[in-house]
Amino acid sequence: MTDQIKIMILSGVREQGKDMFAVQVNDEIFVMDAGLKYPDSSLFGIDVVIPDLDFFKEYGDRVAGIFLTHGHADSIGALPYILRQYDIPVFGSELTIELAKIEVKRENKHCDNSLFHVIDADTEIDFKNASVSFFHTTHSIPGSLGIDIHTPEGEVVYTGDFKFDPTAAPDYRTDMDRLAEIEQKGVLALLSDSSNAEASFPSASEQDIGQYVTDVFRNAKGRIIVAAKASNLNRVQEVLNAAHATGKRVPLTGRDVAKIVRTAMKLGYLKVPKGLLMRVKDLKTTPDDKTVILETGRMGEPLNSLQKMAKKRHSMINIHKGDLVFIATTPSHAVETMVAQTSDMIYRAGGTVIELGRNKHTSGHATGRDLQILIDTLKPKFLIPVIGEYRLLEIHKNLALKAGMNKDDVYITKNGDCLKYDYTKKRFYLSDPVPGEDTMIDGSGVGDVGNIVLRDREVLSDDGIFIAVVTIDRKKKKIVAQPQVTSRGFVYIKANHQLMRESVDVIKNAIDNNFEHKKFDWTELKQDIRNDLEKFLYKKTNRRPVVLPVVMEVNQNRHRALQKKNNKKDSVNKRAKNSEKKEAKSKIDNSKSKKSN
């Protein structure tokens, strides 16, 4: 077999979240990360979005393993849905694997733990065609690792989410010596994080942020409600440190944060002073100025929980006058509007808001300067910007050109692209695409909601639904009962009686025209009703609701069967009566005969 190297962009480019990439060396495929993203406002009713699972249907028998860079949802969130159908080994650091198990068991309580394998930065795994090793990276969660796949043509390096911070704690620090070792082997391709590429000035160090959080807590006069992602353990540690330094106590209000915090404590990644944590029921007896509430919400997203608190609909906590809400997570562009709406609700409820991201430039992702340092350190032959929206990929490319790379050696890709290495020309080129569509999760349904359903939901949200119910007799070609019409989200029925009456006439005319001019067909009859109603309603209201015609038929066969059954019953009763009459007559005749004798 001819040697081949492919880099597959399964998900995570031209978007934010659901990172998943793969490297194929001959007949083995190494999948890197398996994340999800939270939907924007255009995905009506969708819970989360994950990469295209058809990839595993087509290539699952060649997948040697899934290698995780860290424990955030954009890296591990798709695992429950993949492992539900496919038994694929999963590799990650100790904390990453524990968080992955929590994520998987939320959807699948009978998860096979033998699929999970703990590795560290010193691990090297030899496969048939390649070897996989790892290196420490700096991110907002400990145990973050980059991935290095050794191929016959050089190293393929995937950073995952990373940044450079020389002041980071040891558990969070990037291993620069290891990067230098990888460079010595020769880096064929670098898949590098682009999320923060447009940042032109450095992020604040975590030491500075920790001091800022402490200052905020010290100046607060009432309760402090901290909104953070449960898996951002760096921020959680800073909150716990600040609470301890200012003499406050902390309850864990959500199931997710409790599981994650206790897991991190057990593994030694979170240092929690004795007596700092308290139970939720102790809130009643703890003074407001001694209370810090750590709120993360379901799936680690705190904004929905804050809105419930502001509306006084939260199961445990309501925001009241004097509360300070400290939003300790930097929101993505997709939820900035939601952050503003949430802040407005909090102020209406009597609280105040401080956003960390407005006062400190903080991010768990590399700035433009960091990206150039990485390129200069690894000196890759080819660069593939990943993890970011399109403008960020282009900015990353421009940064690489300024760092000395050739523009032909930087590939801007899209989901589903497959770059195949040409051994003769020593370059990558686009090969046959791989599955790269979105798989949408709605409740327990995986991938059963597509573009058509979403389009209908969009129309329903815009103009509502109009329902027409009519019963016909197709044998006699007539309407049996007056058509009934109703609507939801379209017009207020009580104020639009005339519109409803005219709609009934439109339905009658559509049915009469169909009976008179066409051969009977259920689909065509419904389509005629739908078309005529849509035109009429748009002409009258300038709106286009979803029109749902329900056409029922008088069942002639059933009536004939009932008539036949009734006729049969009458015949039996008639014979029985005749028999009774004959028997009675016979008795009378016998009696007369005895008397005459």
Side-chain angles (χ1 to χ4, degrees), residues 410-596:
V410 183
Y411 297 92
I412 302 296
T413 57
K414 62 179 182 295
N415 292 338
D417 279 353
C418 179
L419 299 172
K420 186 175 182 179
Y421 187 69
D422 187 326
Y423 280 82
T424 305
K425 297 181 180 179
K426 301 295 182 181
R427 298 196 59 79
F428 284 97
Y429 65 92
L430 277 176
S431 181
D432 294 335
V434 293
E437 299 296 322
D438 288 344
T439 298
M440 285 168 276
I441 310 296
D442 186 2
S444 60
V446 179
D448 57 347
V449 176
N451 291 330
I452 294 175
V453 174
L454 287 175
R455 188 182 65 211
D456 286 346
R457 290 181 179 182
E458 183 178 5
V459 174
L460 286 169
S461 73
D462 287 340
D463 293 324
I465 186 172
F466 189 92
I467 303 170
V469 182
V470 61
T471 304
I472 64 168
D473 184 336
R474 64 170 172 168
K475 299 294 183 183
K476 296 180 180 178
K477 291 190 174 184
K478 70 175 186 177
I479 298 171
V480 174
Q482 179 82 350
Q484 300 295 314
V485 293
T486 188
S487 76
R488 291 291 182 272
F490 171 53
V491 293
Y492 183 49
I493 294 177
K494 290 183 178 180
N496 289 273
H497 289 302
Q498 182 65 26
L499 178 69
M500 293 303 185
R501 283 194 294 271
E502 291 177 7
S503 298
V504 169
D505 294 336
V506 170
I507 297 167
K508 289 179 178 178
N509 291 335
I511 294 173
D512 290 340
N513 289 336
N514 186 281
F515 282 157
E516 185 176 346
H517 301 111
K518 297 180 181 179
K519 185 178 179 181
F520 184 83
D521 180 85
W522 281 110
T523 303
E524 199 166 338
L525 176 61
K526 289 181 180 179
Q527 190 61 47
D528 287 349
I529 297 172
R530 183 182 294 112
N531 289 342
D532 288 3
L533 274 176
E534 285 176 349
K535 292 175 184 175
F536 168 75
L537 295 174
Y538 183 75
K539 182 179 179 181
K540 290 291 184 178
T541 67
N542 213 29
R543 302 179 202 166
R544 298 185 188 277
V546 173
V547 175
L548 183 63
V550 180
V551 183
M552 299 179 290
E553 180 188 12
V554 174
N555 194 328
Q556 300 291 341
N557 293 330
R558 182 172 177 270
H559 284 305
R560 281 194 290 270
L562 284 173
Q563 187 65 41
K564 189 175 181 181
K565 184 177 180 181
N566 290 336
N567 291 340
K568 186 176 181 181
K569 187 175 180 180
D570 291 343
S571 178
V572 170
N573 291 339
K574 190 174 181 180
R575 286 197 298 270
K577 286 179 181 178
N578 290 337
S579 177
E580 288 174 0
K581 287 180 181 179
K582 286 180 181 178
E583 187 176 347
K585 186 179 179 182
S586 176
K587 287 179 180 179
I588 293 171
D589 291 343
N590 290 336
S591 175
K592 287 181 179 179
S593 176
K594 287 178 181 179
K595 285 181 180 180
S596 61

Side-chain angles (χ1 to χ4, degrees), residues 8 63 123 318 342 349 448 476:
M8 304 172 179
V63 175
T123 302
N318 292 323
T342 304
D448 57 347
K476 296 180 180 178

Side-chain angles (χ1 to χ4, degrees), residues 254-392:
R255 188 177 298 175
D256 282 345
V257 71
K259 281 184 180 180
I260 291 171
V261 166
R262 291 196 173 94
T263 299
M265 288 172 61
K266 181 178 71 175
L267 298 178
Y269 289 111
L270 266 184
K271 309 295 188 294
V272 182
K274 189 174 181 180
L276 180 67
L277 298 180
M278 66 175 176
R279 295 170 296 182
V280 175
K281 66 180 182 180
D282 295 334
L283 281 170
K284 295 179 181 178
T285 58
T286 305
D288 283 359
D289 62 348
K290 299 295 181 185
T291 302
V292 175
I293 298 167
L294 184 58
E295 178 58 44
T296 65
R298 186 180 180 275
M299 301 290 288
E301 292 296 327
L303 295 179
N304 285 328
S305 292
L306 288 181
Q307 290 188 0
K308 289 179 181 177
M309 290 180 185
K311 294 176 181 177
K312 305 196 183 309
R313 295 177 183 172
H314 195 274
S315 58
M316 291 180 283
I317 298 156
N318 292 323
I319 292 172
H320 56 64
K321 190 172 180 60
D323 284 347
L324 168 65
V325 176
F326 183 58
I327 300 178
T329 181
T330 303
S332 65
H333 297 299
V335 296
E336 281 182 347
T337 301
M338 187 177 181
V339 172
Q341 291 170 345
T342 304
S343 297
D344 191 70
M345 292 178 189
I346 292 167
Y347 277 101
R348 288 173 183 269
T352 56
V353 178
I354 293 178
E355 292 182 44
L356 175 63
R358 288 189 181 276
N359 299 301
K360 290 286 183 180
H361 179 65
T362 174
S363 174
H365 302 270
T367 63
R369 180 73 171 169
D370 291 342
L371 297 175
Q372 289 179 319
I373 291 172
L374 182 67
I375 290 169
D376 187 57
T377 302
L378 289 178
K379 297 178 174 58
K381 291 181 182 177
F382 304 101
L383 173 67
I384 305 170
V386 294
I387 311 176
E389 294 158 353
Y390 183 79
R391 74 181 188 285
L392 298 172

Side-chain angles (χ1 to χ4, degrees), residues 198-212:
E198 60 189 344
S200 56
F201 46 90
S203 297
S205 71
E206 292 302 330
Q207 287 183 359
D208 290 344
I209 293 170
Q211 184 59 51
Y212 174 76

